[in-house]
Amino acid sequence: MRIGLQARYFVAMVLALAIVVAAFASVWYQQRQNQREIASLSRGSMHEVAVAGLRSRGATLVSMIADALTNPLYYFDLVSVGEIVQSALSQPDVSYVIVFDADGRIVHDGSRDIPSFGQEMTDAQAPEAAAAATIHTQMTEEVVDVAHPIRIGQEKLGGVRIGLSMEAPRHAEAMAQAILDERIAVTVARNRTWLIVVFAALLAMGLALSLLVRRGLVQPVRRLADAAQSVEAGRFELRLESTRSDELGDLFRAFQRMGDSLKRHDRDIRQIAYGDSLTGLPNRLAFREILDRKLLTLQAGGGELALLFVDLDDFKRVNDTLGHDAGDHVLGQFALRLQHCLRLIDDENAVVARFGGDEFVAMFGGQRVRDAAAHLAEAMLAELQSPVSIEQRQVFLGASVGITLFPQDAHSSALLLKNGDIAMYQAKVAGKNCYRFYSKAMDQAVERRVQLEGDLRGAWARGELSLSYQPIFELESGRLLGAEALMRWQHPELGVIPPSVFVDVAEQTGLIEDIGRLVLQRACNEALRWKRLGDAPFVSVNVSPRQLRSGDLAEMVGSLLAETGLPPERLHLELTETAVLGDELQTGAVLSRLRSMGVKIWLDDFGTGFSGLSHLRRVPVDGVKIDRSFIADMLRDPDDLALTSAIIAMAHSLGITVVGEGVENEGQFAVLRERGCDLAQGYWLGRPMSASELARRLVA
Ligand code: C2E
Ligand code: MG
Ligand code: MG
């Protein structure tokens, strides 16, 4: 149990009051004791004074009576004795007067017939009184008995006793006592009132003090504690204004300032931690928090949520060919476009965040969000497709969008993020520039990919990888001049896996460096066996970007040529435009070395990048292979035809060979020949075949 400040003060106050009360009670008790003592003392002394007065009066009276009685008693004049006794008895306080003879017998007692005459005095005081030689006083409850002998000369005639009643002094004493008691009672009452007043004042003072402590100390401290607690919980909206001019006021103001500055720091830190500096969008961390919060409310209240993972297609090419500033510009533009698209959505809390690189994630909620998500994805794809202009150049990019829905696909944010990623990846696999909804089957696809990676590792050693060769013809003469080596994977369970599926995996895992060398070696060896009348046929081998960047491509090719004995001019290397143009300085040096050996360099899939024709001047290549997408559309799309023609003309002006890829019909073949294209390959001319089959074709 916690004992608060106020409780402590209260307990201290109650204790202090209890001590004061105890002190008062003891003083009170002492005083009462004193008063009682005084009362009893004064009662005693009053009694003594009264008795002393009575005794002296008795002595005086008895002396006078004894003097007056001397003669009458000597002459035994009972009448005179009677008169004197009568006169003494007439005094109000005299109870009795007894005159007795020398033997202690009663001579007179003031009565008319004196019935006790001659009798002995029988009361308790009589013996002492009869024997007294001088004045003798005896006391009883009722009377003061004073005796006096009566003498003539030495002869004792008898004596006289008078009894003075105690009644009067007792009465006076009672009166005085009553007055004293009354006085004491008044004092007691006054003291009591005084005590009560002082106690009440103390109590009031204590209460006022506690109120003061409560208002002046406890409440402010409590407010400060509450404020500290809310700061601790991340709420910096403090309201601690105070008009007090004391230390607590200073503390309040200091606390308020501290809260304000914490709030500013918090905002700054949040901006740094939760914002993407390039696009100004929230980052992954911020998005994750928003998503978690959103999921909490949705789980409680119902509703749906859609997450759209947008990844720009081939963004790396922009960075590689145009530089990082251009890349940043493109990302900024795309961020704006995505935000623009989000306005189509009927959810004011819709957000888009940059997850890093070229990956953006949008989120919105509502009812039946599936259709809205599809519309949004379409809008995004359309918006992102329009070109971005950089340095008077039009850059065309697309995007792949993966969509996952709550609660259909998953309930936790981690799973939703994972699903979105998977769906986006599937959109890429499906050919890019499209959107895909997440489905459970996709999980299997991802699993398959992981499986594929594992299987690919030992595939060459197990003899599952082989090379097919697609013949390449001279258009002009229709002669078979050489062949492109194309890798094939005969998977023991899955059957033939196309290179479009596994080359990517090999590239990403780095396996391509080993496999690529083995492919080159085998292609060289197999090409050696090809014989033909006239000039010997060439073999064209695909080289992946990773192999080019590994740095030792030229040495490797050199040593392979030396090892196999294939003349360098019979080896062609196919490199993609992006791989070559990514780092022109470095790749330029590698390519120059290869060319100086006599190896020919071809740019594969030409036209799909955006290096532009003018770039061709800067890289040392021997030929370009026009991508088959242009050839495929050439007859239908005048733009493609124009581009193909332009590539051919441009290449020729630079003295570069042009190869048309993917010729599937005679029409395409005819157009290429008409436009002056040098070489061609395609299903219509010849499908990929085994090395020995190609050897037979060459001889035929
Ligand atoms: P690529 O270098 O552009 O190879 C040409 C592709 O077009 C081959 O597909 C070929 O079979 C296909 N093709 C040829 N004629 C036609 C046609 O008339 N119509 C159609 N639709 N397609 C045609 P393939 O063998 O599936 O290879 C795909 C890609 O895989 C290659 O594109 C190349 O980039 C890569 N690749 C293949 N083998 C290797 C390799 O040994 N190393 C590396 N690094 N990449 C390879
Ligand atoms: Mg190729
Ligand atoms: Mg190609």
Side-chain angles (χ1 to χ4, degrees):
M1 196 193 75
R2 204 178 79 118
I3 299 174
L5 207 55
Q6 196 175 354
R8 270 167 215 254
Y9 270 99
F10 189 74
V11 168
M13 206 190 69
V14 166
L15 276 177
L17 272 178
I19 290 169
V20 169
V21 166
F24 272 136
S26 125
V27 168
W28 174 258
Y29 177 74
Q30 213 62 44
Q31 217 172 31
R32 286 296 288 156
Q33 230 25 39
N34 289 348
Q35 281 163 351
R36 269 191 208 108
E37 228 164 87
I38 288 168
S40 101
L41 275 177
S42 57
R43 203 176 298 132
S45 56
M46 259 180 328
H47 184 72
E48 266 164 36
V49 168
V51 168
L54 215 57
R55 286 171 83 132
S56 85
R57 182 169 143 68
T60 317
L61 201 61
V62 88
S63 301
M64 275 165 50
I65 296 170
D67 280 352
L69 281 175
T70 309
N71 280 334
L73 195 61
Y74 183 75
Y75 294 108
F76 208 71
D77 177 2
L78 278 181
V79 176
S80 299
V81 170
E83 278 170 4
I84 291 166
V85 170
Q86 284 294 333
S87 103
L89 275 174
S90 66
Q91 302 281 330
D93 54 343
V94 175
S95 317
Y96 58 85
V97 179
I98 303 169
V99 183
F100 53 88
D101 62 11
D103 299 328
R105 289 175 200 280
I106 296 171
V107 176
H108 210 304
D109 59 3
S111 57
R112 232 161 62 99
D113 302 328
I114 318 172
S116 57
F117 184 83
Q119 290 178 8
E120 282 191 17
M121 296 181 288
T122 52
D123 57 304
Q125 289 74 34
E128 278 185 32
T134 57
I135 289 181
H136 182 73
T137 309
Q138 290 178 87
M139 307 251 326
T140 71
E141 280 293 299
E142 302 303 322
V143 286
V144 175
D145 182 283
V146 192
H148 198 292
I150 300 171
R151 284 194 188 90
I152 282 195
Q154 286 305 308
E155 186 191 355
K156 184 172 175 182
L157 300 178
V160 62
R161 284 172 66 191
I162 61 168
L164 287 174
S165 166
M166 291 286 269
E167 187 82 7
R170 201 173 279 149
H171 181 69
E173 198 185 302
M175 290 281 283
Q177 188 62 42
I179 289 168
L180 185 69
D181 283 350
E182 197 185 346
R183 289 262 162 81
I184 286 176
V186 168
T187 315
V188 165
R190 198 173 45 226
N191 283 357
R192 192 191 296 128
T193 318
W194 185 80
L195 274 182
I196 287 171
V197 166
V198 168
F199 182 74
L202 270 177
L203 197 70
M205 218 165 76
L207 281 176
L209 203 74
S210 127
L211 211 72
L212 220 70
V213 163
R214 187 184 150 76
R215 290 195 49 184
L217 206 65
V218 176
Q219 275 176 350
V221 167
R222 206 167 273 166
R223 261 181 82 194
L224 282 173
D226 287 349
Q229 241 164 26
S230 61
V231 166
E232 195 184 359
R235 297 186 301 271
F236 301 105
E237 308 297 338
L238 304 183
R239 297 213 174 281
L240 286 176
E241 298 87 14
S242 170
T243 47
R244 299 171 69 135
S245 56
D246 56 4
E247 290 85 345
L248 266 172
D250 290 346
L251 189 60
F252 265 63
R253 283 182 286 277
F255 218 91
Q256 178 69 43
R257 283 197 300 278
M258 188 184 78
D260 290 346
S261 95
L262 273 177
K263 188 173 152 188
R264 269 197 309 280
H265 286 305
D266 182 69
R267 199 182 48 220
D268 292 351
I269 288 170
R270 263 170 198 282
Q271 237 158 34
I272 295 167
Y274 289 97
D276 172 47
S277 55
L278 177 65
T279 58
L281 294 179
N283 62 12
R284 179 190 286 268
L285 199 67
F287 186 85
R288 184 69 194 256
E289 274 193 15
I290 299 170
L291 176 60
D292 282 339
R293 241 180 293 138
K294 189 94 192 167
L295 285 180
L296 266 184
T297 52
L298 286 186
Q299 267 149 8
E304 295 182 359
L305 201 66
L307 262 65
L308 286 86
F309 281 61
V310 185
D311 191 282
L312 304 186
D313 294 333
D314 306 318
F315 172 72
K316 210 165 125 357
R317 283 199 334 234
V318 182
N319 269 340
D320 288 349
T321 54
L322 303 174
H324 286 274
D325 286 346
D328 288 354
H329 178 74
V330 168
L331 287 176
Q333 289 296 310
F334 280 10
L336 285 177
R337 292 184 191 182
L338 288 175
Q339 278 175 301
H340 177 74
C341 289
L342 222 57
R343 287 191 207 120
L344 301 173
I345 288 297
D346 186 25
D347 174 12
E348 57 191 24
N349 293 322
V351 284
V352 59
R354 181 172 171 227
F355 262 38
D358 56 348
E359 203 179 328
F360 297 85
V361 180
M363 168 173 80
F364 67 90
Q367 300 297 328
R368 288 212 299 275
V369 292
R370 195 184 172 88
D371 293 344
H375 282 135
L376 180 62
E378 276 160 21
M380 281 174 169
L381 291 178
E383 188 75 23
L384 298 184
Q385 250 170 12
S386 57
V388 181
S389 46
I390 302 167
E391 297 160 16
Q392 287 125 33
R393 187 195 289 246
Q394 301 280 78
V395 173
F396 291 85
L397 278 174
S400 303
V401 182
I403 307 171
T404 184
L405 306 174
F406 169 90
Q408 293 89 328
D409 297 341
H411 284 91
S412 75
S413 54
L415 259 186
L416 282 170
L417 294 179
K418 185 175 154 231
N419 292 348
D421 224 31
I422 290 173
M424 192 269 291
Y425 178 73
Q426 292 302 319
K428 291 250 187 239
V429 170
K432 301 181 176 173
N433 205 22
C434 61
Y435 69 89
R436 285 288 178 275
F437 278 97
Y438 168 82
S439 72
K440 292 269 184 292
M442 289 179 179
D443 281 340
Q444 290 159 13
V446 170
E447 261 169 45
R448 273 205 302 278
R449 190 185 155 88
V450 173
Q451 175 82 36
L452 216 61
E453 243 180 74
D455 291 351
L456 189 59
R457 273 177 208 282
W460 187 276
R462 289 192 299 270
E464 292 166 17
L465 293 173
S466 64
L467 291 178
S468 274
Y469 296 91
Q470 185 173 34
I472 299 174
F473 297 88
E474 190 175 42
L475 277 169
E476 176 83 40
S477 61
R479 279 197 332 141
L480 201 171
L481 290 189
E484 177 178 4
L486 294 164
M487 218 182 335
R488 295 290 173 261
W489 183 7
Q490 182 69 46
H491 192 281
E493 287 146 32
L494 304 173
V496 180
I497 300 176
S500 51
V501 173
F502 72 86
V503 168
D504 258 6
V505 179
E507 168 90 18
Q508 277 158 23
T509 52
L511 284 170
I512 197 71
E513 295 192 22
D514 285 339
I515 296 176
R517 193 171 45 76
L518 295 165
V519 166
L520 255 171
Q521 190 182 35
R522 181 172 295 178
C524 291
N525 279 324
E526 288 182 332
L528 260 181
R529 283 187 243 129
W530 298 339
K531 297 282 181 294
R532 196 170 57 114
L533 292 175
D535 49 346
F538 64 83
V539 66
S540 182
V541 181
N542 291 288
V543 173
S544 89
R546 190 150 180 162
Q547 281 173 281
L548 179 62
R549 282 202 201 93
S550 70
D552 61 353
L553 183 67
E555 288 84 62
M556 188 188 78
V557 169
S559 64
L560 276 179
L561 287 174
E563 181 191 312
T564 56
L566 185 78
E569 64 278 3
R570 288 182 62 192
L571 179 65
H572 293 192
L573 296 183
E574 294 189 12
L575 292 155
T576 55
E577 194 183 346
T578 24
V580 172
L581 298 176
D583 183 356
E584 287 169 25
L585 274 182
Q586 202 219 323
T587 54
V590 178
L591 298 186
S592 298
R593 282 192 58 196
L594 287 167
R595 290 184 77 203
S596 67
M597 287 180 213
V599 175
K600 291 206 163 19
I601 307 292
W602 281 354
L603 276 190
D604 203 356
D605 303 339
F606 192 75
T608 50
F610 37 78
S611 49
L613 296 175
S614 55
H615 265 245
L616 274 182
R617 294 179 202 282
R618 293 211 298 254
V619 281
V621 295
D622 301 279
V624 291
K625 295 183 79 171
I626 302 177
D627 191 68
R628 66 170 183 271
S629 57
F630 295 102
I631 309 290
D633 288 345
M634 200 170 55
L635 299 182
R636 270 175 286 141
D637 189 341
D639 282 348
D640 280 347
L641 181 59
L643 195 74
T644 308
S645 308
I647 292 173
I648 295 168
M650 176 84 190
H652 283 172
S653 76
L654 295 168
I656 292 174
T657 310
V658 184
V659 187
E661 270 188 321
V663 177
E664 293 185 347
N665 54 51
E666 198 179 354
Q668 292 163 347
F669 181 81
V671 171
L672 283 176
R673 189 160 69 173
E674 182 213 329
R675 300 284 153 141
C677 183
D678 306 294
L679 306 175
Q681 70 185 96
Y683 291 167
W684 189 71
L685 293 163
R687 288 195 174 251
M689 57 191 79
S690 69
S692 45
E693 206 180 335
L694 191 92
R696 281 198 297 279
R697 284 281 294 266
L698 279 161
V699 193

